[in-house]
Structure formats: structure tokens, C-alpha cells
Amino acid sequence: MLKKLILGAAALAVAGTVQVTTVSAEDTLYIPSLSYRTGPFAGAGGPISNGFADYFNMLNERDGGIGGAKLVVEECETAYNAQKGVECYEATKGNGALAYNPYSTGITLQLIPKAPVDQIPVLSMGYGLSAAAVGEKFPWTFNYPASYWSQMSSILKYIDANGGVKGKKIGFIYLDVGYGKEPIPLLDKLAPEMGFEWVGFPVGVKEMQNQGATWLNVRKERPDWMIMWGFGAMNPTAIKEAAKIRFPMDKFIGNWWAGAHADLEPVGEAGKGYKASSFSGIGTDFPALQDVIKYVVDAGKSQAKKEDVGKVLYNRGLFNAVIMAEAIRAGQKSSGKVKITGVEMRDGLESFVLDEARLKEIGLEGFTAPITASCKDHEGSGAIFVQQWDGKTWNRISDLIPPMTDVVKPLLEEAADKYVSEQTDWKTQSCG
Amino acid sequence: MELLKQIFVEPFEVMYALPDLLLQTLWEGFVSGTLYSLIALGFVLIFKASGVFNFAQGIMVVFAALTLVGIHAFGVPAFLAVILTLGVMALLAFTVVRVVMKPLVNQPDIILFMSTIGITFILIAGGQLIFGGEPKAMITEELGLPTGASDWEVGGGIVIFQHIDIAAAVIAALLIAGLALFFNKTKTGRALRAVADDHQAALSVGISLEYIWVVVWFAAGVVALTAGILWAAKSDVSFALQVVALKALPVLVLGGFTSIPGAIVGGLIIGFGEKLFDLYWGVPILGGGTESWFAFIIALLFLLYRPEGLFGEKLIERI
């Protein structure tokens, strides 16, 4: 009997990787959530999915949804696996999916060619293919509020403003996959222009928690600054190793996937001074967050613990839902319909306005840089800010830092042209 | 010509110019090597007793560490949490033997191997269900493990000895020595070796196969808990940790699947080798990142020229 139970549980564990149900109702808007609450990156996936779902639930509870239509968020577990992500996409797209938020560069790359075919947009918020920022070449893909290349240029601007980059050696430690390598073309381009030298330190996925050799190399190379494009277990390990070789923490700056509470809480005091870029506010000191707590968390309708609300990745997921919600409103307005389709959602993603007045109106004043969506620019402002770990939590320490648009934009256009030239039957759009 | 210089001249110039870095590299290699040996030992124990390659050893490391941290999170003092975790690992050993191993006695090796893959999935799902998937900090200080570092000035530079690394090397060495003594000098250890030599002959002289298997699975659980504590202290407790256990595979190929001394020597060779190679040859010639495959290349060479490993038993089959 016990054996049968265990075998049954194992079968359920395997079958449970793709769990979806059929959803269709006149007064609902269906939003699939490709989550990863399991697997090596579950520490990031859980809070993101919680923030994403809780904002929509808050809109349902407080406002009755958007435009009178209730929002149905359905999770499909990908375990951060591209193959499972595609399975989730195929299993849910028929339910009237408005847009996909893959939360994985690997899954995003798989979905980019599918989006125009199925006419469901992909919003890879601050990840995925940098070139997708060029709206004319990628009509169905968006990466608001910033691409990886914009982010790297802003980080270099920050370093330049804090001691200068000219004549300096910058170490770049990165997860040795597509995501980690994404900003390398920008480093190659900017190094001679800004007069710095850069040296790369790749970390294999299998070596995320075994970086001894990597940091011996860092010690040998003696960089002035370290920039990290890490994720999951790679981040705390790298910061602990940096502390071990006594690398100055205030000269170590991560990207927005290397700056979460989950990354630094296992490090604690040893990580004091470490910095990271971000584009979403920290804490619950925003009216919208207070509403989420009131209508969802305190009402027992959230998967998040109350103390985790307001942490970096929870707020990142919430901000993703804000962009989706604003695009839905714009799509409803332009189409004159409450129950919009993927096509109208795409139009909404090209026309929503999240300016300072609107941010204030929705209770997120000062939370992020304003975004004015457009047909041409699928990235938005690209501005980031820098936050710093004080041993216990993150604190914002800089104003918004806009990217080097003059450098980044031509590179994005070049990369977009290259991508399109490698596709067959790729449809671009004209933005007038 | 430039390549030859990069291979045969420049690494030794750097070693000579920066002796502190060389010594630091050797120390890091030694610490990693002892931890690899420890993880490999978990595989060897079960393989010796049952001929099963335990694919679940990696997830056992994660499961044991998660259990410890999870129990402590309920306010249980650290040392009591260790004892309770050992109890959980004993229960796991008993359950695995009763539910999986015993019903599969005399099945082909591949069936037993597949069953350990099944155990892996159950432990992953169970661990996530009970403790959640988010990373957790190891309770290093609560367990009394030392923090801080000592410096040794040498050749104009310093070699940094993290106290946790010293403790890890000492604990791993003591556990390996203790297990080696247990399995060589005690009655249970002799019974284990009898089982390893011939199941049926061992049964015929009254040795309980089930008892021996429970003992070795529990010993593998103790090894997993120790490895989990020591490795998670360097990073965090997360499911990504199970991948580190893959490093035991080349260690086993080098040392032999049935040899405890082989696991020790193999672990040290891999530990020293990957650190030295990456720093002095990997980065200048290949751009770095060699740590993830260097050990497997060494293992491949051994498989080609000495498949039984350094200390393994040579398998001769008549056909």
C-alpha cells in the first residue's frame, strides 16, 4: 500500500509540472503566469509570482477588476526550464491569454517567434532579448522598462560618476548562459570609448555554488570594480567569495537579478556595502502596496508571507502586473471592448502612459521611472537606480540613471536587423 | 609558439612571481578536495554494500541541510536539530530499504539505479512541499562553526585561511577517517564487506542484508548532512546544491567506485587539479570557466585507460 502511495506521489510530481485548467468566461481577462516555484531558481520565482498575482487580485477585490472584467491569473510551473515553459505556453494559449511574461530569457527566446503567429504579445520585463526594444522589428515583444544593454550602460555611468572608469579594470562575473552573456557586446563597444579594460569571469550553472577558482582569478586580476550578471544561488555564493578575498563590497555591483533580499539574506553582514541596480521600488511605503496588504495579504488570499511583501522581487512581480494592467486599460480604451484579445493587448502595450501623474494616481509615486509606451520603443526610459545592502536590507542610494541612449540605440537596431535577417517570413511594422 | 609559451612558461612565471596566490590556490584546492571526497564517500558506501549507484546522493545533501535548517526555524536549538535531522535520515534509510531496495533484490543493477532516480524525485518534491523552494541561510554560527579568517604573510602577499574552511577540512577528514575505521574494524563493517563481496554467501552465514543496507544508507545520510552543512556554509541551502554532488562522479571514476581511499585521493586530485588548471592555464588560454568540465575530462581519460580507477577492483568477466 505504502509503495503504491509513493509511486502515486511520484507520478503526481511528474504530472504536476504542467497543471492548467480551462478558463473561459465572458467577464474575465485571462493572464497566464509562467512561474517557477520549484527548481534551482525557486528563490526568485516564488516572490515574483506572488507579487504578480497579488496586484491583480487587489484590483479584483478593490475595483472589481479592470473595466468591469475580473482578472484570472493562472500559474503554470516551468521550474525555469525552457522546454516546460513552452509546454505551459502551448497548454494555456488557447484560454484567451492576453500576454506572456516568461520570467526567463531562455523561455522568452522560444516564445518570440511564436508571438506573431499566435498573436499573443510577450512582455519580458527587463530580461530576454535586448534587441526586442526596437518596436519596428519586434512588433509582438516588449521589454519595458529597460533592456540589459541599457542597464549595463547605466551601471557604467554610475561607476564613472563614482571615481571614473577611465584607466580602470572592470571585472564582469556572469552566469555562463545566454542571459549572462547578453551585455558582453556593450562592454566590448564601450571599453575603448570610455577607456576602461574589462575582464570576464564566467560561472557555469553547475558551478554556481562552487566559485572558488573564479574568485582566485579575480584576486589574480585585481579589478577596480566588479559587475555581476548572476541569478539564483550564484549570487550569495559570489558575494561570500568576494568577502572572502576581501574585495571592497562598495565596488561590487550586481544587475537587477543579483540584488534581491533572497540573494543577500544568506550573506547577511558580510555583504554590507554590496550594490545592485533596480527599476522597482523597495518596501511597502506606497499606497498601492498598502492596498495589496489590505485586500489580499491580510485577507488570506496571497501565497506570500506578510513580511515578504515589499521585498525586491515581490515588488518586481507587482510592477510587472502594473504594466500589464495599464496595457489592458489602454487596450480596452482603444478597442472600446472590455474583453480584449491578444491583438488589442499588443496595441495597449504600445500605447499606455505611466507618467508621474499616473504613477501617483495608482499609488506608486516614485516607485519607478515613468514609461511612455510607443510603437517604436518597446523598452521605455531604460532608467535604473542603484540600491545598497546595509547588512539587513536594501536601501535606494541613487537617483534614476538614464542609459546611454546614443550608444545603446544603434547597437539595439543593429542586433534587431541581424535577428530579423536570420528569420524567414518575419513581419516587421512601420511606426510612421 | 605563443600557445606553447602559455602552456609551459607563463604559468610557472606567475607561480614564481605570486607565491601567495599559488599557496592560496593549493589551500582552496585542498578544502574543495576534502569536500568532494566526502560527497564521493556517500556514493561509495552504498555502492560497496549493494552494487547500486545512488543517484539520490546529491538530493540527500540538500534534503538533510533543508531538514536541519527547517527544524531549527521552529525554534529548536541547533544541536538538537542536528540530532533530529539524523533521526530523519535514519527514518529515510529504513524507508528506502524497506520500500525500494528489499522488494528489488536480485533485480538487474539498472533497475536499482532507476529506483534511486525515483527516490531523487520524491525527495525533491517532498523537500519543496515541506520546506519550500526558497534559499535559506545555513545556521553556521548556531552550530558553533567558526567564522573569521587568519592571514599568513608570504612572498609579499597574504594567504587567507577562512576558519570555516579549516573547520570543513578537519570535520570532513575526521568523518572520513571515522567511517573508514567503522567499516574496517567493527563487526558491522566486516559484515558490510562480506555483503559487498557476495550477497548470497553473506546471507548464508547469517548476515542480515536489510540491516546492513539500513546502516549504509544511514551512513550515507550522515555524510550527506555533513556535506550539506559544510557546503551550504559557503553559499546557501538551495536545491541548486544537488548539482555540486555531480562533482563526485569524476572523483569516483578516478578513485574507483568501491574504494574509500580512492574517494579520498580522487577528491584531492580533482580539488587541486581544477583550481590550478583554471587559474594558470584555463583563464589565459581558454577564457576561464574550466572548473565545470576539467574534472570530467580527467575522468574521461581514466575511463579510456584505467576504467577501474586508481584503487577500484578490476572487473574480469568471462564470455
Side-chain angles (χ1 to χ4, degrees):
Chain A
M1 183 64 195
L2 183 61
K3 193 164 65 176
K4 281 182 183 171
L5 272 175
I6 290 171
L7 289 172
L12 272 176
V14 174
T17 53
V18 181
Q19 286 181 329
V20 293
T21 52
T22 306
V23 176
S24 66
E26 281 301 310
D27 55 349
T28 59
L29 294 166
Y30 178 71
I31 301 160
S33 171
L34 305 191
S35 59
Y36 40 96
R37 294 181 184 274
T38 64
F41 302 106
I48 289 169
S49 298
N50 290 339
F52 188 73
D54 286 358
Y55 186 75
F56 289 122
N57 285 336
M58 184 272 283
L59 294 180
N60 282 340
E61 298 296 322
R62 190 190 67 185
D63 307 336
I66 299 176
K70 288 265 187 184
L71 303 147
V72 176
V73 180
E74 189 168 41
E75 284 192 22
C76 186
E77 175 64 30
T78 70
Y80 199 76
N81 177 301
Q83 189 187 333
K84 284 183 187 170
V86 173
E87 285 172 18
C88 281
Y89 173 86
E90 295 295 342
T92 54
K93 70 179 184 185
N95 295 342
L98 289 186
Y100 280 89
N101 300 267
Y103 270 104
S104 146
T105 292
I107 300 173
T108 304
L109 296 177
Q110 297 288 321
L111 299 193
I112 286 174
K114 291 176 182 289
V117 177
D118 295 321
Q119 304 215 307
I120 305 170
V122 172
L123 170 56
S124 51
M125 192 189 75
Y127 56 90
L129 193 69
S130 294
V134 183
E136 286 175 310
K137 300 290 160 57
F138 290 89
W140 290 88
T141 311
F142 302 80
N143 53 12
Y144 301 119
S147 69
Y148 284 136
W149 290 359
S150 292
Q151 176 182 209
M152 177 57 92
S153 75
S154 296
I155 289 173
L156 290 169
K157 271 173 85 172
Y158 175 81
I159 294 173
D160 202 25
N162 287 273
V165 291
K166 194 165 186 180
K168 299 279 171 65
K169 185 188 268 191
I170 292 177
F172 177 57
I173 181 167
Y174 60 97
L175 192 59
D176 197 10
V177 295
Y179 146 71
K181 294 175 192 168
E182 182 73 13
I184 288 177
L186 195 84
L187 282 169
D188 283 336
K189 166 90 175 157
L190 286 177
E193 288 180 14
M194 296 179 78
F196 66 85
E197 179 193 351
W198 79 273
V199 55
F201 302 102
V203 175
V205 174
K206 289 206 296 283
E207 303 300 324
M208 286 195 303
Q209 288 176 297
N210 187 24
Q211 297 177 32
T214 304
W215 286 89
L216 284 167
N217 278 314
V218 173
R219 184 172 158 179
K220 183 179 148 207
E221 293 291 338
R222 298 171 190 265
D224 299 290
W225 281 78
M226 284 293 289
I227 298 175
M228 175 154 70
W229 240 248
F231 198 36
M234 175 180 160
N235 298 334
T237 312
I239 299 161
K240 281 189 176 182
E241 289 286 348
K244 199 168 143 182
I245 67 160
R246 295 174 194 161
F247 190 85
M249 277 297 156
D250 60 347
K251 298 280 172 68
F252 190 10
I253 182 164
N255 76 346
W256 54 57
W257 300 120
H261 286 81
D263 297 323
L264 269 294
E265 278 165 354
V267 183
E269 281 290 319
K272 197 172 177 178
Y274 171 78
K275 295 170 180 170
S277 72
S278 187
F279 55 74
S280 47
I282 309 161
T284 56
D285 208 8
F286 301 92
L289 264 297
Q290 290 302 317
D291 281 351
V292 168
I293 291 170
K294 181 179 166 189
Y295 290 99
V296 184
V297 181
D298 285 347
K301 294 174 180 171
S302 172
Q303 289 195 59
K305 292 178 199 156
K306 193 170 181 181
E307 63 267 26
D308 291 337
V309 175
K311 287 185 174 178
V312 170
L313 290 179
Y314 181 93
N315 282 8
R316 186 79 42 83
L318 181 139
F319 181 45
N320 196 156
V322 169
I323 294 179
M324 287 283 291
E326 293 305 297
I328 289 170
R329 288 180 211 280
Q332 286 176 332
K333 194 177 167 189
S334 61
S335 67
K337 293 193 295 187
V338 170
K339 191 171 173 65
I340 59 170
T341 63
V343 176
E344 288 138 4
M345 180 69 182
R346 195 204 76 84
D347 295 341
L349 280 164
E350 283 192 343
S351 59
F352 73 91
V353 178
L354 195 59
D355 56 13
E356 282 172 6
R358 181 62 185 155
L359 280 168
K360 188 175 180 183
E361 194 182 342
I362 62 172
L364 289 171
E365 187 179 17
F367 185 86
T368 186
I371 304 171
T372 302
S374 75
C375 167
K376 267 190 176 175
D377 178 11
H378 282 194
E379 178 187 10
S381 76
I384 58 144
F385 62 84
V386 175
Q387 59 188 26
Q388 189 169 34
W389 182 252
D390 67 6
K392 288 185 176 61
T393 192
W394 288 101
N395 301 292
R396 182 172 165 167
I397 59 163
S398 85
D399 292 329
L400 287 168
I401 307 168
M404 300 178 196
T405 314
D406 54 330
V407 177
V408 174
K409 208 172 172 197
L411 278 177
L412 289 173
E413 282 169 358
E414 193 183 318
D417 287 340
K418 185 169 181 287
Y419 183 95
V420 170
S421 70
E422 288 165 357
Q423 311 301 312
T424 50
D425 298 330
W426 187 260
K427 286 197 176 83
T428 58
Q429 67 176 345
S430 173
C431 293
Chain B
M1 195 60 194
E2 181 60 29
L3 182 64
L4 289 175
K5 197 179 165 199
Q6 282 183 317
I7 295 171
F8 295 110
V9 180
E10 286 174 2
F12 301 100
E13 286 176 350
V14 177
M15 286 180 199
Y16 181 75
L18 300 169
D20 58 318
L21 189 64
L22 175 62
L23 289 170
Q24 187 77 60
T25 307
L26 291 171
W27 168 245
E28 298 288 336
F30 174 71
V31 173
S32 294
T34 50
L35 289 174
Y36 292 156
S37 300
L38 188 60
I39 296 172
L41 193 62
F43 286 95
V44 168
L45 290 174
I46 291 174
F47 192 84
K48 266 176 85 80
S50 57
V52 177
F53 178 79
N54 179 23
F55 189 80
Q57 189 65 33
I59 191 63
M60 280 170 67
V61 171
V62 179
F63 188 78
L66 271 178
T67 305
L68 173 65
V69 174
I71 291 173
H72 181 260
F74 283 107
V76 178
F79 282 98
L80 186 56
V82 170
I83 292 165
L84 290 173
T85 306
L86 287 173
V88 171
M89 297 315 284
L91 186 65
L92 178 70
F94 180 75
T95 309
V96 165
V97 171
R98 284 303 293 267
V99 177
V100 183
M101 302 299 292
K102 203 176 167 192
L104 294 177
V105 167
N106 287 332
Q107 294 290 328
D109 289 348
I110 187 68
I111 301 290
L112 289 161
F113 172 66
M114 293 298 285
S115 73
T116 67
I117 295 178
I119 294 167
T120 302
F121 282 111
I122 289 169
L123 288 180
I124 290 173
Q128 285 172 343
L129 193 70
I130 300 165
F131 304 110
E134 68 275 11
K136 295 164 183 69
M138 177 45 70
I139 49 171
T140 315
E141 286 179 31
E142 292 86 340
L143 288 169
L145 292 169
T147 53
S150 298
D151 295 351
W152 176 35
E153 287 186 29
V154 57
I158 55 164
V159 182
I160 303 167
F161 295 97
Q162 293 290 327
H163 295 165
I164 182 70
D165 286 347
I166 298 170
V170 170
I171 291 168
L174 285 176
L175 185 63
I176 292 166
L179 285 169
L181 277 176
F182 177 74
F183 286 110
N184 280 304
K185 302 291 180 190
T186 64
K187 193 178 167 188
T188 304
R190 283 195 293 276
L192 161 74
R193 280 153 54 207
V195 169
D197 279 348
D198 191 317
H199 285 178
Q200 286 183 336
L203 278 171
S204 70
V205 294
I207 294 171
S208 163
L209 212 56
E210 189 178 338
Y211 169 70
I212 293 299
W213 279 353
V214 170
V215 169
V216 292
W217 274 85
F218 175 62
V222 173
V223 167
L225 175 61
T226 313
I229 292 171
L230 298 177
W231 210 288
K234 291 154 73 79
S235 55
D236 62 7
V237 186
S238 71
F239 282 85
L241 202 59
Q242 63 176 309
V243 185
V244 174
L246 288 176
K247 271 289 169 65
L249 296 177
V251 172
L252 292 168
V253 172
L254 247 73
F257 278 72
T258 52
S259 168
I260 291 176
I264 299 165
V265 175
L268 290 173
I269 290 174
I270 297 292
F272 283 124
E274 67 178 14
K275 299 284 185 292
L276 288 167
F277 182 81
D278 193 67
L279 185 66
Y280 294 106
W281 288 273
V283 173
I285 300 169
L286 301 163
T290 64
E291 211 175 4
S292 55
W293 53 259
F294 174 79
F296 293 91
I297 295 290
I298 299 290
L300 195 64
L301 292 173
F302 263 79
L303 282 174
L304 285 172
Y305 297 106
R306 196 178 166 84
E308 70 275 17
L310 287 171
F311 300 91
E313 293 158 12
K314 199 161 193 168
L315 185 66
I316 300 169
E317 287 187 31
R318 294 186 191 284
I319 48 172

